[in-house]
Short mmCIF file of all heavy atoms in Angstrom, two decimals:
data_model
loop_
_atom_site.label_atom_id
_atom_site.label_comp_id
_atom_site.label_asym_id
_atom_site.label_seq_id
_atom_site.Cartn_x
_atom_site.Cartn_y
_atom_site.Cartn_z
N PHE A 8 81.60 116.08 114.28
CA PHE A 8 82.87 116.75 113.80
C PHE A 8 83.98 115.79 113.38
O PHE A 8 85.08 116.28 113.11
CB PHE A 8 83.36 117.62 114.88
CG PHE A 8 82.40 118.66 115.41
CD1 PHE A 8 81.57 118.43 116.57
CD2 PHE A 8 82.13 119.92 114.74
CE1 PHE A 8 80.61 119.31 116.97
CE2 PHE A 8 81.24 120.80 115.17
CZ PHE A 8 80.48 120.58 116.30
N ASP A 9 83.70 114.54 113.33
CA ASP A 9 84.70 113.54 112.96
C ASP A 9 85.32 113.86 111.60
O ASP A 9 84.54 114.14 110.69
CB ASP A 9 84.05 112.18 112.87
CG ASP A 9 83.19 111.84 114.09
OD1 ASP A 9 82.01 112.21 113.92
OD2 ASP A 9 83.62 111.34 115.05
N THR A 10 86.63 113.84 111.51
CA THR A 10 87.28 114.08 110.29
C THR A 10 87.27 112.83 109.38
O THR A 10 87.05 111.78 109.97
CB THR A 10 88.80 114.51 110.40
OG1 THR A 10 89.43 113.40 111.07
CG2 THR A 10 88.90 115.75 111.27
N SER A 11 87.40 112.98 108.12
CA SER A 11 87.35 111.79 107.25
C SER A 11 88.47 110.87 107.56
O SER A 11 88.45 109.63 107.52
CB SER A 11 87.41 112.17 105.74
OG SER A 11 88.53 113.03 105.53
N GLU A 12 89.65 111.46 108.05
CA GLU A 12 90.85 110.64 108.41
C GLU A 12 90.46 109.79 109.63
O GLU A 12 90.86 108.62 109.74
CB GLU A 12 92.12 111.52 108.76
CG GLU A 12 92.64 112.24 107.56
CD GLU A 12 91.87 113.52 107.10
OE1 GLU A 12 90.97 114.00 107.91
OE2 GLU A 12 92.09 113.96 105.97
N ALA A 13 89.87 110.45 110.66
CA ALA A 13 89.43 109.69 111.89
C ALA A 13 88.47 108.61 111.55
O ALA A 13 88.60 107.48 112.12
CB ALA A 13 88.84 110.67 112.89
N LEU A 14 87.55 108.82 110.66
CA LEU A 14 86.50 107.79 110.33
C LEU A 14 87.19 106.68 109.53
O LEU A 14 86.87 105.46 109.80
CB LEU A 14 85.37 108.40 109.52
CG LEU A 14 84.44 109.37 110.28
CD1 LEU A 14 83.42 109.99 109.28
CD2 LEU A 14 83.70 108.69 111.38
N ASP A 15 88.14 107.01 108.67
CA ASP A 15 88.86 105.97 107.95
C ASP A 15 89.67 105.08 108.92
O ASP A 15 89.75 103.89 108.76
CB ASP A 15 89.84 106.61 106.95
CG ASP A 15 89.16 107.18 105.74
OD1 ASP A 15 88.01 106.68 105.49
OD2 ASP A 15 89.70 108.03 105.01
N ALA A 16 90.24 105.71 109.97
CA ALA A 16 91.02 104.95 110.93
C ALA A 16 90.16 104.00 111.66
O ALA A 16 90.51 102.81 112.00
CB ALA A 16 91.71 105.88 111.96
N HIS A 17 88.91 104.45 112.07
CA HIS A 17 87.93 103.55 112.72
C HIS A 17 87.53 102.39 111.85
O HIS A 17 87.48 101.27 112.28
CB HIS A 17 86.67 104.31 113.12
CG HIS A 17 86.87 105.18 114.30
ND1 HIS A 17 87.13 104.74 115.52
CD2 HIS A 17 86.73 106.60 114.47
CE1 HIS A 17 87.23 105.74 116.45
NE2 HIS A 17 86.97 106.90 115.76
N ARG A 18 87.30 102.69 110.54
CA ARG A 18 86.91 101.62 109.58
C ARG A 18 88.07 100.61 109.49
O ARG A 18 87.82 99.44 109.52
CB ARG A 18 86.68 102.22 108.20
CG ARG A 18 85.32 102.94 108.10
CD ARG A 18 84.97 103.28 106.69
NE ARG A 18 83.83 104.21 106.74
CZ ARG A 18 83.99 105.57 106.67
NH1 ARG A 18 85.16 106.11 106.54
NH2 ARG A 18 82.90 106.34 106.64
N LYS A 19 89.27 101.08 109.39
CA LYS A 19 90.47 100.22 109.24
C LYS A 19 90.58 99.31 110.48
O LYS A 19 90.83 98.07 110.38
CB LYS A 19 91.74 101.06 109.04
CG LYS A 19 92.85 100.24 108.56
CD LYS A 19 94.02 101.09 108.13
CE LYS A 19 95.21 100.27 107.69
NZ LYS A 19 96.40 101.04 107.45
N GLN A 20 90.43 99.92 111.71
CA GLN A 20 90.55 99.18 112.86
C GLN A 20 89.49 98.05 112.95
O GLN A 20 89.73 96.90 113.36
CB GLN A 20 90.40 100.10 114.08
CG GLN A 20 90.60 99.42 115.49
CD GLN A 20 90.32 100.35 116.57
OE1 GLN A 20 90.31 101.52 116.50
NE2 GLN A 20 90.04 99.77 117.75
N HIS A 21 88.25 98.39 112.58
CA HIS A 21 87.14 97.35 112.56
C HIS A 21 87.47 96.27 111.63
O HIS A 21 87.22 95.09 111.87
CB HIS A 21 85.83 98.08 112.20
CG HIS A 21 85.20 98.77 113.40
ND1 HIS A 21 85.64 99.84 114.11
CD2 HIS A 21 83.97 98.38 114.00
CE1 HIS A 21 84.84 100.18 115.04
NE2 HIS A 21 83.83 99.29 115.06
N GLU A 22 87.95 96.63 110.41
CA GLU A 22 88.27 95.54 109.42
C GLU A 22 89.32 94.61 109.98
O GLU A 22 89.20 93.41 109.77
CB GLU A 22 88.86 96.25 108.20
CG GLU A 22 87.77 96.79 107.23
CD GLU A 22 88.28 97.65 106.04
OE1 GLU A 22 89.50 97.38 105.72
OE2 GLU A 22 87.55 98.41 105.50
N GLU A 23 90.29 95.14 110.63
CA GLU A 23 91.37 94.31 111.23
C GLU A 23 90.83 93.35 112.27
O GLU A 23 91.32 92.30 112.49
CB GLU A 23 92.52 95.20 111.84
CG GLU A 23 93.41 95.86 110.77
CD GLU A 23 94.29 96.95 111.40
OE1 GLU A 23 94.24 97.19 112.57
OE2 GLU A 23 95.03 97.54 110.64
N GLU A 24 89.74 93.75 112.92
CA GLU A 24 89.08 92.95 113.93
C GLU A 24 87.94 92.07 113.39
O GLU A 24 87.24 91.48 114.07
CB GLU A 24 88.50 93.89 115.07
CG GLU A 24 89.58 94.55 115.86
CD GLU A 24 89.02 95.60 116.77
OE1 GLU A 24 87.70 95.67 116.88
OE2 GLU A 24 89.76 96.37 117.38
N GLY A 25 87.83 92.17 112.08
CA GLY A 25 86.78 91.38 111.34
C GLY A 25 85.37 91.91 111.54
O GLY A 25 84.43 91.14 111.44
N LYS A 26 85.31 93.22 111.79
CA LYS A 26 83.96 93.84 111.91
C LYS A 26 83.73 94.90 110.98
O LYS A 26 84.64 95.29 110.26
CB LYS A 26 83.91 94.46 113.36
CG LYS A 26 84.16 93.57 114.57
CD LYS A 26 84.22 94.40 115.81
CE LYS A 26 84.63 93.58 117.02
NZ LYS A 26 84.83 94.36 118.22
N THR A 27 82.46 95.32 110.84
CA THR A 27 82.13 96.43 109.91
C THR A 27 81.76 97.70 110.76
O THR A 27 81.02 97.61 111.72
CB THR A 27 80.87 96.08 109.14
OG1 THR A 27 81.14 94.89 108.40
CG2 THR A 27 80.51 97.17 108.10
N PHE A 28 82.45 98.78 110.38
CA PHE A 28 82.18 100.09 111.16
C PHE A 28 80.81 100.65 110.76
O PHE A 28 80.65 100.90 109.55
CB PHE A 28 83.27 101.01 110.91
CG PHE A 28 83.14 102.36 111.54
CD1 PHE A 28 83.22 102.52 112.86
CD2 PHE A 28 82.82 103.48 110.74
CE1 PHE A 28 82.99 103.78 113.48
CE2 PHE A 28 82.57 104.70 111.31
CZ PHE A 28 82.75 104.84 112.69
N ILE A 29 80.02 100.85 111.75
CA ILE A 29 78.70 101.50 111.45
C ILE A 29 78.65 102.66 112.52
O ILE A 29 78.79 102.42 113.74
CB ILE A 29 77.47 100.64 111.67
CG1 ILE A 29 77.56 99.37 110.68
CG2 ILE A 29 76.15 101.34 111.44
CD1 ILE A 29 76.47 98.37 110.82
N TYR A 30 78.40 103.89 112.05
CA TYR A 30 78.26 105.04 112.92
C TYR A 30 76.77 105.01 113.40
O TYR A 30 75.90 105.49 112.74
CB TYR A 30 78.57 106.27 112.19
CG TYR A 30 78.92 107.54 112.96
CD1 TYR A 30 80.07 108.24 112.63
CD2 TYR A 30 78.12 107.96 114.02
CE1 TYR A 30 80.48 109.39 113.36
CE2 TYR A 30 78.58 109.06 114.80
CZ TYR A 30 79.67 109.80 114.42
OH TYR A 30 80.01 110.93 115.16
N ASN A 31 76.56 104.58 114.67
CA ASN A 31 75.18 104.58 115.20
C ASN A 31 75.23 104.43 116.76
O ASN A 31 76.21 104.68 117.36
CB ASN A 31 74.37 103.53 114.53
CG ASN A 31 74.72 102.08 114.85
OD1 ASN A 31 75.66 101.83 115.60
ND2 ASN A 31 73.99 101.09 114.24
N TRP A 32 74.13 103.95 117.28
CA TRP A 32 73.92 103.90 118.77
C TRP A 32 75.08 103.24 119.47
O TRP A 32 75.40 103.68 120.58
CB TRP A 32 72.58 103.18 119.07
CG TRP A 32 72.59 101.72 118.58
CD1 TRP A 32 72.31 101.28 117.37
CD2 TRP A 32 73.03 100.55 119.32
NE1 TRP A 32 72.48 99.90 117.27
CE2 TRP A 32 72.91 99.49 118.47
CE3 TRP A 32 73.44 100.36 120.66
CZ2 TRP A 32 73.26 98.16 118.86
CZ3 TRP A 32 73.75 99.14 121.06
CH2 TRP A 32 73.70 98.00 120.19
N HIS A 33 75.73 102.23 118.93
CA HIS A 33 76.66 101.43 119.69
C HIS A 33 78.08 102.19 119.85
O HIS A 33 78.84 101.76 120.72
CB HIS A 33 76.86 100.07 119.11
CG HIS A 33 77.84 99.98 117.98
ND1 HIS A 33 77.50 100.28 116.76
CD2 HIS A 33 79.06 99.53 118.02
CE1 HIS A 33 78.54 100.04 115.96
NE2 HIS A 33 79.54 99.64 116.69
N ASN A 34 78.29 103.20 119.11
CA ASN A 34 79.56 103.88 119.22
C ASN A 34 79.53 105.41 119.17
O ASN A 34 80.52 106.12 119.35
CB ASN A 34 80.60 103.40 118.17
CG ASN A 34 80.09 103.67 116.73
OD1 ASN A 34 79.13 104.39 116.54
ND2 ASN A 34 80.72 103.11 115.76
N ARG A 35 78.30 106.00 118.99
CA ARG A 35 78.22 107.42 118.74
C ARG A 35 78.74 108.21 120.05
O ARG A 35 79.21 109.31 119.89
CB ARG A 35 76.86 107.88 118.26
CG ARG A 35 75.70 107.53 119.18
CD ARG A 35 74.44 107.77 118.39
NE ARG A 35 73.23 107.25 119.05
CZ ARG A 35 72.15 106.88 118.49
NH1 ARG A 35 72.00 106.83 117.18
NH2 ARG A 35 71.12 106.41 119.16
N LEU A 36 78.54 107.67 121.17
CA LEU A 36 78.98 108.37 122.42
C LEU A 36 80.48 108.41 122.59
O LEU A 36 81.04 109.09 123.50
CB LEU A 36 78.28 107.80 123.65
CG LEU A 36 76.70 108.05 123.66
CD1 LEU A 36 76.10 107.36 124.95
CD2 LEU A 36 76.41 109.55 123.68
N LYS A 37 81.19 107.57 121.74
CA LYS A 37 82.65 107.52 121.83
C LYS A 37 83.31 108.27 120.76
O LYS A 37 84.56 108.40 120.66
CB LYS A 37 83.13 106.08 121.69
CG LYS A 37 82.51 105.10 122.72
CD LYS A 37 82.99 103.72 122.35
CE LYS A 37 82.20 102.65 123.10
NZ LYS A 37 82.43 101.33 122.64
N LEU A 38 82.49 108.94 119.88
CA LEU A 38 83.05 109.66 118.70
C LEU A 38 82.91 111.22 118.89
O LEU A 38 82.36 111.66 119.89
CB LEU A 38 82.28 109.22 117.46
CG LEU A 38 82.52 107.67 117.08
CD1 LEU A 38 81.49 107.20 116.09
CD2 LEU A 38 83.92 107.42 116.68
N ASP A 39 83.38 111.93 117.90
CA ASP A 39 83.53 113.40 118.02
C ASP A 39 82.20 114.04 117.56
O ASP A 39 82.17 114.57 116.48
CB ASP A 39 84.74 113.81 117.16
CG ASP A 39 85.13 115.20 117.51
OD1 ASP A 39 84.65 115.81 118.50
OD2 ASP A 39 86.01 115.76 116.72
N ASN A 40 81.22 114.02 118.45
CA ASN A 40 79.94 114.64 118.14
C ASN A 40 79.29 115.33 119.26
O ASN A 40 79.74 115.20 120.42
CB ASN A 40 79.00 113.59 117.46
CG ASN A 40 78.79 112.41 118.39
OD1 ASN A 40 78.34 112.64 119.48
ND2 ASN A 40 79.19 111.23 117.94
N SER A 41 78.20 116.02 119.01
CA SER A 41 77.52 116.81 120.04
C SER A 41 76.79 115.98 121.13
O SER A 41 76.43 116.43 122.14
CB SER A 41 76.49 117.79 119.46
OG SER A 41 75.55 117.08 118.71
N LEU A 42 76.68 114.60 120.89
CA LEU A 42 76.16 113.74 121.89
C LEU A 42 77.19 113.39 122.94
O LEU A 42 76.82 113.22 124.12
CB LEU A 42 75.63 112.46 121.24
CG LEU A 42 74.51 112.59 120.19
CD1 LEU A 42 74.20 111.20 119.60
CD2 LEU A 42 73.26 113.13 120.84
N ALA A 43 78.43 113.36 122.53
CA ALA A 43 79.60 112.98 123.45
C ALA A 43 80.27 114.25 123.98
O ALA A 43 80.98 114.09 125.04
CB ALA A 43 80.60 112.17 122.66
#
């Protein structure tokens, strides 16, 4: 259910930390979805 705004914010935060945002096993339990 993540909004595009929320995903953009995650991407921006990762960029600031020098990382690439990938929606997968390492963060999906922290995001707005039926697994979490």
Side-chain angles (χ1 to χ4, degrees):
F8 302 97
D9 315 87
T10 63
S11 55
E12 292 79 15
L14 291 175
D15 284 343
H17 283 298
R18 285 190 194 95
K19 195 172 179 186
Q20 185 188 338
H21 275 68
E22 279 173 22
E23 286 169 1
E24 295 169 6
K26 300 175 188 172
T27 303
F28 175 71
I29 301 176
Y30 201 130
N31 67 2
W32 61 275
H33 83 280
N34 61 10
R35 58 193 172 206
L36 292 178
K37 302 174 194 170
L38 297 166
D39 194 8
N40 57 58
S41 59
L42 298 176

